[in-house]
Amino acid sequence: MDLSDSTWTDADAVDTDLALLPVGSTEQHGPHAPLGTDVLTAEAVAEAGADAHDGEVAVAPAIPVGVAAEHRQFTGTLWVSEDTFRDYVRETVASLAHHGWDRVVLVNGHGGNVGALREVASTIVREDDAYAVPFTWFEAVGDHADEMGHGGPLETAMLRHVAPDLVAEDRIEEAREGASDGWGEWVSYANLAVDSAEFTENGVVGDPADGSAERGAELLDLAAEALVRLLEAVESRDVELPPHK
């Protein structure tokens, strides 16, 4: 059940303690992909997972602004501090739990959110009347995950499958020409670069031409299957913490 499309009485009739909270970012994805890429893909995976799950799931509206200061040199990018982001996620989960949806999977579409989501989920589990676990879709797509860049093959493939009208196909070659091969500037296992503009001319990492719509369909299936397995585990898990010794 999508909360945004439902009435409160529809929501009240849902018999489940499971919820999905999509989390993304509003940030540059090169000259060919929209600023909302991370929101669109997180929403698509959450919806596909909810549809495939054998049971009811409440799907919350997506959080559209995340931890993205690393893209600030590119116009249109929005960001908040990690503290603000964690507080917003935590209080949104508390709202869901207030209505009985107290087992929440945070469906993430942005790499910059990963650390903050891990921290806030741990805080929620330890301190709040809820259980939360983060799930980043591009980490759950098998061998494809090795090619995750930024506005590169995986994200372009997903967009071509779920929102093809938003991909500027006439700019794919431009995106390729200004892209970097990898994320960061690495020396002795340390990344010297703070922001993406230090190593990619137009914000792209990886080759978007390798992201076909067919590949996007496969990615969505893989991510949804992984999300369903996670939902089943969260639904059946004993979430009581061990007592202090």
Side-chain angles (χ1 to χ4, degrees):
M1 181 202 64
D2 190 323
L3 291 182
S4 293
D5 296 339
S6 304
T7 67
W8 80 263
T9 51
D10 294 333
D12 191 54
V14 172
D15 183 19
T16 186
D17 56 5
L18 286 176
L20 296 173
L21 176 58
V23 182
S25 181
T26 300
E27 64 182 44
Q28 70 86 13
H29 279 80
H32 68 296
L35 291 159
T37 291
D38 293 344
V39 180
L40 292 165
T41 56
E43 288 177 324
V45 171
E47 291 167 5
D51 289 344
H53 177 63
D54 185 18
E56 291 186 299
V57 187
V59 182
I63 294 175
V65 178
V67 182
E70 68 271 21
H71 298 290
R72 68 187 187 277
Q73 289 90 347
F74 296 94
T75 305
T77 295
L78 307 178
W79 65 93
V80 293
S81 69
E82 290 200 2
D83 286 344
T84 297
F85 177 73
R86 285 190 295 262
D87 286 347
Y88 196 96
V89 171
R90 185 177 181 183
E91 292 180 23
T92 302
V93 170
S95 298
L96 291 166
H98 176 81
H99 299 296
W101 304 308
D102 57 4
R103 296 175 183 237
V104 184
V105 177
L106 310 171
V107 181
N108 178 44
H110 172 48
N113 292 340
V114 170
L117 286 174
R118 186 183 302 115
E119 290 180 22
V120 73
S122 297
T123 299
I124 290 167
V125 171
R126 292 183 179 126
E127 300 183 15
D128 300 340
D129 294 326
Y131 180 84
V133 59
F135 171 85
T136 298
W137 74 261
F138 49 81
E139 295 176 347
V141 291
D143 293 339
H144 294 283
D146 294 337
E147 295 184 61
M148 182 58 185
H150 194 260
L154 300 198
E155 290 179 308
T156 303
M158 279 282 276
L159 287 171
R160 279 173 164 158
H161 177 54
V162 304
D165 292 346
L166 296 181
V167 179
E169 295 292 348
D170 59 339
R171 299 179 189 167
I172 293 294
E173 190 58 34
E174 177 188 350
R176 297 180 74 189
E177 291 175 357
S180 66
D181 294 331
W183 184 275
E185 297 177 17
W186 294 86
V187 177
S188 298
Y189 303 97
N191 184 11
L192 303 180
V194 174
D195 291 334
S196 60
E198 296 179 62
F199 54 84
T200 171
E201 179 183 325
N202 62 8
V204 177
V205 178
D207 188 350
D210 288 338
S212 67
E214 292 75 18
R215 188 179 192 183
E218 181 181 0
L219 291 171
L220 185 60
D221 286 344
L222 288 169
E225 289 168 6
L227 180 54
V228 168
R229 292 193 297 271
L230 180 58
L231 280 169
E232 292 170 350
V234 169
E235 187 172 36
S236 62
R237 183 175 177 80
D238 179 358
V239 298
E240 292 294 324
L241 291 176
H244 294 292
K245 292 185 178 180

